[in-house]
Amino acid sequence: GESVGLHLPTLSVQEGDNSIINCAYSNSASDYFIWYKQESGKGPQFIIDIRSNMDKRQGQRVTVLLNKTVKHLSLQIAATQPGDSAVYFCAENAGNLANAGGTSYGKLTFGQGTILTVHP
Amino acid sequence: IAGITQAPTSQILAAGRRMTLRCTQDMRHNAMYWYRQDLGLGLRLIHYSNTAGTTGKGEVPDGYSVSRANTDDFPLTLASAVPSQTSVYFCASSDRVGAEAFFGQGTRLTVV
């Protein structure tokens, strides 16, 4: 799972295996969660999201599970490929950004990231 | 489809100099954000803008300022750069409450 500190959690898997990346979030009021993938030298890229009224959501080769009781989020990648190697971040919508006279938007708070390495 | 464009891609800047990082989006998103990314600290919000003409402070706003004169542009200015502002800066945008943010490719800034 993700943690604070200088050393990011790492996960190494063989090509074709399933990968599970974990994230513990902090704010029990968060109602929206996103997983991002970041390849070296690039910006974070949206993978999948889930709202707090759901506990599971599936995409193409990816599944996100949400356990609100223990404030835990996981990303499952099926049949992991070398192209999946990247840093994966979870993000939570930790509340609205109040703005005088304007519309409030959710602020995303990011976890520290997990490095996924897929070996051929 | 460009999405979000940041400039420059990278920059080496002398301490004490002023620098503006540029960000332009063509998705007509209302909200825009500036994050900095440092190893072990993840992405931290610097400033945000809910809509054109409005801005707000994020988690680490000190030493930075922003403006939002129109929907498309959201420049980030370092008035007097310091070495601790060495980082990778990402601009992002989203179109509605609770929506995912789309990120630019980042600007790698080194302050020496």
Side-chain angles (χ1 to χ4, degrees), chain A residues 69-86:
Chain A
T69 301
V70 296
K71 292 188 285 188
H72 184 268
L73 194 67
S74 69
L75 177 71
Q76 300 178 358
I77 305 173
T80 315
Q81 303 167 0
D84 294 327
S85 295

Side-chain angles (χ1 to χ4, degrees), chain B residues 2 7 10-13 16 20 25-26 31 37 49 71 76-77 79 99-100 103 107 111:
Chain B
S10 64
Q11 181 75 46
I12 299 174
L13 184 68
T20 295
Q25 53 108 354
D26 61 3
Q37 185 174 37
S49 170
T71 298
L76 176 74
T77 297
E100 72 272 20
F103 285 81
T107 295
V111 182

Side-chain angles (χ1 to χ4, degrees), chain A residues 38-57:
Chain A
Q38 186 176 24
E39 297 173 280
S40 180
K42 297 184 178 180
Q45 180 182 7
F46 171 86
I47 303 173
I48 192 169
D49 59 1
I50 189 168
R51 300 203 176 275
S52 59
N53 60 351
M54 304 172 68
D55 54 20
K56 180 179 180 179
R57 191 168 187 216

Side-chain angles (χ1 to χ4, degrees), chain A residues 3-113:
Chain A
S3 61
V4 176
L6 295 178
H7 301 287
L8 296 180
T10 60
L11 176 64
S12 293
V13 300
Q14 291 297 126
E15 182 178 2
D17 287 351
N18 296 333
S19 302
I20 300 176
I21 301 171
N22 297 303
C23 176
Y25 64 93
S26 57
N27 191 338
S28 57
S30 294
D31 59 1
Y32 179 60
F33 306 87
I34 307 174
W35 279 101
Y36 283 92
K37 172 186 180 182
Q38 186 176 24
E39 297 173 280
S40 180
K42 297 184 178 180
Q45 180 182 7
F46 171 86
I47 303 173
I48 192 169
D49 59 1
I50 189 168
R51 300 203 176 275
S52 59
N53 60 351
M54 304 172 68
D55 54 20
K56 180 179 180 179
R57 191 168 187 216
Q58 288 183 294
Q60 185 177 12
R61 283 202 306 120
V62 295
T63 300
V64 55
L65 299 178
L66 175 62
N67 185 330
K68 295 182 288 294
T69 301
V70 296
K71 292 188 285 188
H72 184 268
L73 194 67
S74 69
L75 177 71
Q76 300 178 358
I77 305 173
T80 315
Q81 303 167 0
D84 294 327
S85 295
V87 180
Y88 288 81
F89 293 94
C90 65
E92 59 181 302
N93 181 338
N96 289 327
L97 292 168
N99 184 51
T103 302
S104 295
Y105 280 81
K107 181 182 82 169
L108 292 178
T109 299
F110 287 81
Q112 305 309 308

Side-chain angles (χ1 to χ4, degrees), chain B residues 2 8-9 12 23 25 38 47 52-53 61 69 77 79 82 100:
Chain B
T9 303
I12 299 174
C23 175
Q25 53 108 354
D38 304 287
H47 284 288
T77 297
V82 295
E100 72 272 20

